[in-house]
Amino acid sequence: MTYKAMDFYETVYSRAPLADQFTIPLVRLTKNYGIVPAAATSWEQSSDGKSWTFHLRKGINWSDGAELTAADFVETLRYSADPKHAWDFAWFWSGVIKNYTEAVAGKVPTSEIGVRQGADKYTLVFESDAPVAFMPSACLYTTPLSAAALHKHGSGQYNIDPATSVTCGDYALKTFEPTSTVVLEPNKKYSGPIKPPIAGLVAKIYAGGDMLPRFQTGEVDTINAGPIDVKAASRNSQLKKLHLYKNPQDFKIWYVFFDVTKSPFDKLEVRQAFAHSVDRDPLVNNILAPLASPAYGYLMPGYPFAIGDELKQYTNYDPTKAKSLLAQAGYPNGQGFPAVTFDWFPNAAASSDSVVQALVENWNKVLGINIKLQQIDQTTFYDRMNKKPTEITMGMVSYGMDYFDASNMLSVYKSNGRHNWNNKQYDDLLAQGAAESDKTKRQEIYTKAQVLLTQQAPAVFIFHPLYGYYYGPYMQGAALTKNDLGYDGIQWPGFSPTSDSMDTLHVASNVSDSKRQPQTLLGS
């Protein structure tokens, strides 16, 4: 992969390790996923629900001497909506910020999007066409570029050169080598509210290879450990003593989706039969443990407004019911069921090869059909899935949150979205949930949406992955301890100004020397 930038608003999918350290968003997340102030000290919604006002913290300065003000956020969001920029995450604000979709399409100038300065330079106002209850959660993604630097250089690329980089965050750029190393040093002019005890950060970029030996030799201080790493560590006399930290990160779901416009998946009973033919518990226990949990619905337990037991009746393992449903669809014992190809792409973290083999084996056995597997590369898979109409009859894919609210994850199945299941009742429920501020009422709305989605089975939900991490024993602090959901390690969104993990993670010389002065963190 070629890394192109250090800023979210320059590129999301091609930004380098240690990106987003040169700024501060309006809000950030605690390890318990609570929204707390960052660049903004407070915020409120208007009486009609169509605007949010954020009050900025005074005295946060950019390294060029300018103060962080509403203008930086306004210019950054206008830049993101500029069709000439062609930002790779523009969908995020579409339908949320007023006129944003139109600006991205070139129908209105970016100056007309619903983001403006309020009564003074410390007041930022977001406007929408309809009430948006989740705006504070979405504003986790408001890491601004410097308006002055953006005007001077024309893009956010200025932050990949130490000579032109401008920061109002804790760190400044020392080295940017997109194929080998990114090094951050302390920002000597920092005046913001977040003061991490780790003075410097180093990201080593590897083209491939096993990270576990690099961790074992001290070449890196932390690694993301997949199932293969965990098994290998359990056989090593030294590594097996290390604690395996586990957490859900972006509360991802791996699921099998169907083209519901084509036979045989245009029949509800067929889709339901597939849902009731997945034996999730042994699949997780035998292949994915200890880094996964079975998925009976789209939202992972612990995610806002998620429900669990209410959904099992629609998707639990029940071979007898599955056979009955398939017969109702006109395929008794699988007779006459058409040839279907199941497309998938390799993903080591999800053990996708073993998972899809197990799924197909059970479907064929329980339903008496003959599903064929077709492996394709990930880029081709997404290209084919995203075609309108889709070129994939059934396939396995994942999705993880962008912000911590049900409106985000559940929107994947909105009409004319990622998949071709279009359901007006579901769309109406999501619109109601997005506009509703009362938490109890939102729970009722999103419960109905989850039941409808699961019962209609445009997809079969398979498992929720957990992410495993090993940290050097000298890495310590409250950031690594368990949160209210029982997960430990650095929670999503990671060690960055968007998270409170920066406040407490520190590096000691050894396990017992917790008071030693912080030193450079070597990451991967």
Side-chain angles (χ1 to χ4, degrees):
M1 180 176 182
T2 301
Y3 296 112
K4 299 178 180 179
M6 289 293 292
D7 292 278
F8 185 89
Y9 277 96
E10 183 60 23
T11 174
V12 173
Y13 297 111
S14 297
R15 68 195 198 279
L18 302 180
D20 310 320
Q21 299 286 354
F22 303 148
T23 184
I24 179 172
L26 293 170
V27 301
R28 59 183 184 142
L29 278 185
T30 69
K31 71 176 185 179
N32 292 312
Y33 315 111
I35 296 290
V36 294
T41 57
S42 63
W43 48 88
E44 68 272 351
Q45 189 175 20
S46 62
S47 58
D48 66 0
K50 294 184 179 181
S51 69
W52 282 87
T53 299
F54 289 79
H55 304 281
L56 302 184
R57 195 182 302 270
K58 298 178 182 179
I60 300 177
N61 295 321
W62 294 97
S63 53
D64 63 359
E67 188 176 21
L68 176 70
T69 67
D72 296 299
F73 293 92
V74 171
E75 291 305 309
T76 298
L77 286 161
R78 287 179 178 177
Y79 177 57
S80 75
D82 190 338
K84 294 180 182 178
H85 177 28
W87 188 42
D88 55 8
F89 211 64
W91 63 268
F92 181 79
W93 292 115
S94 294
V96 178
I97 294 175
K98 185 177 181 179
N99 287 333
Y100 193 90
T101 303
E102 292 77 6
V104 171
K107 296 179 180 179
V108 302
T110 60
S111 59
E112 292 188 16
I113 69 170
V115 183
R116 59 179 175 81
Q117 178 180 302
D120 55 43
K121 65 180 181 178
Y122 303 109
T123 307
L124 178 67
V125 180
F126 288 84
E127 299 173 327
S128 55
D129 288 319
V132 179
F134 58 84
M135 182 62 80
S137 294
C139 281
L140 188 69
Y141 290 150
T142 50
T143 47
L145 295 160
S146 157
L150 191 58
H151 289 154
K152 180 177 180 180
H153 300 284
S155 77
Q157 290 296 101
Y158 66 85
N159 263 337
I160 62 174
D161 184 347
T164 58
S165 181
V166 179
T167 175
C168 70
D170 305 85
Y171 299 107
L173 184 66
K174 182 178 181 180
T175 304
F176 182 82
E177 298 290 346
T179 60
S180 61
T181 311
V182 176
V183 181
L184 306 186
E185 60 185 358
N187 173 15
K188 297 179 181 179
K189 298 181 179 180
Y190 180 66
S191 58
I194 305 170
K195 295 178 171 58
I198 293 178
L201 303 174
V202 178
K204 288 194 171 183
I205 300 169
Y206 297 96
D210 188 355
M211 292 300 296
L212 191 60
R214 293 167 178 154
F215 173 76
Q216 188 176 3
T217 60
E219 188 176 344
V220 295
D221 293 328
T222 177
I223 63 167
N224 183 348
I228 296 176
D229 295 315
V230 174
K231 291 177 182 178
S234 69
R235 297 190 295 265
N236 182 284
S237 59
Q238 294 300 316
L239 291 176
K240 69 179 181 181
K241 297 177 183 178
L242 288 175
H243 175 70
L244 176 65
Y245 293 84
K246 294 182 291 184
N247 62 64
Q249 287 295 303
D250 55 354
F251 286 79
K252 187 172 290 181
I253 171 77
W254 276 92
Y255 62 100
V256 174
F257 63 92
F258 306 114
D259 182 347
V260 301
T261 68
K262 297 177 182 176
S263 177
F265 299 117
D266 56 344
K267 294 184 178 181
L268 173 61
E269 295 83 1
V270 169
R271 304 195 302 269
Q272 291 175 334
F274 272 68
H276 287 295
S277 301
V278 177
D279 199 359
R280 295 167 181 79
D281 288 335
L283 186 148
V284 168
N285 293 335
N286 296 334
I287 299 175
L288 300 165
L291 296 176
S293 62
Y296 293 95
Y298 200 78
L299 301 184
M300 186 177 184
Y303 192 75
F305 306 106
I307 59 175
D309 291 342
E310 301 96 318
L311 302 178
K312 288 186 178 181
Q313 61 181 306
Y314 305 112
T315 191
N316 64 312
Y317 183 56
D318 190 338
T320 301
K321 187 173 185 177
K323 292 176 182 178
S324 175
L325 285 163
L326 198 66
Q328 292 176 41
Y331 307 108
N333 298 315
Q335 295 175 18
F337 195 85
V340 174
T341 299
F342 178 8
D343 291 321
W344 68 285
F345 60 88
N347 183 289
S351 298
S352 57
D353 54 344
S354 299
V355 170
V356 297
Q357 293 281 356
L359 289 172
V360 169
E361 180 179 344
N362 218 52
W363 279 324
N364 290 343
K365 177 182 177 181
V366 171
L367 301 177
I369 58 180
N370 185 24
I371 299 238
K372 295 186 181 299
L373 277 172
Q374 177 172 271
Q375 177 183 332
I376 54 181
D377 67 88
Q378 184 171 340
T379 300
T380 301
F381 180 94
Y382 276 95
D383 286 344
R384 293 181 59 194
M385 182 185 74
N386 292 330
K387 288 282 181 64
K388 305 298 182 187
T390 183
E391 294 181 351
I392 294 182
T393 301
M394 67 179 297
M396 189 172 79
V397 73
S398 67
Y399 193 82
M401 70 168 169
D402 299 296
Y403 58 91
F404 197 62
D405 189 83
S407 60
N408 174 223
M409 288 288 290
L410 292 178
S411 67
V412 169
Y413 265 98
K414 286 174 65 174
S415 294
N416 304 310
R418 191 186 211 189
H419 302 295
N420 59 10
W421 179 70
N422 298 326
N423 187 293
K424 185 179 184 303
Q425 181 183 357
Y426 184 79
D427 294 343
D428 290 344
L429 287 168
L430 292 197
Q432 293 170 29
E436 181 57 62
S437 298
D438 183 88
K439 188 174 182 179
T440 300
K441 292 179 180 178
R442 289 192 90 201
Q443 180 66 74
E444 294 173 356
I445 293 167
Y446 286 130
T447 293
K448 291 178 181 178
Q450 291 172 78
V451 169
L452 179 62
L453 178 64
T454 310
Q455 189 272 335
Q456 288 292 308
V460 178
F461 310 126
I462 310 300
F463 69 94
H464 300 290
L466 291 173
Y467 292 78
Y469 296 92
Y470 288 121
Y471 297 95
Y474 42 83
M475 294 184 64
Q476 302 171 357
L480 300 180
T481 60
K482 288 184 178 181
N483 66 4
D484 289 347
L485 294 177
Y487 297 118
D488 55 13
I490 296 177
Q491 309 291 333
W492 187 90
F495 189 84
S496 76
T498 53
S499 165
D500 70 350
S501 65
M502 292 187 73
D503 299 2
T504 62
L505 186 71
H506 66 272
V507 180
S509 62
N510 54 51
V511 176
S512 62
D513 188 7
S514 60
K515 296 182 180 180
R516 186 177 182 274
Q517 289 298 312
Q519 59 187 1
T520 299
L521 171 66
L522 185 64
S524 62

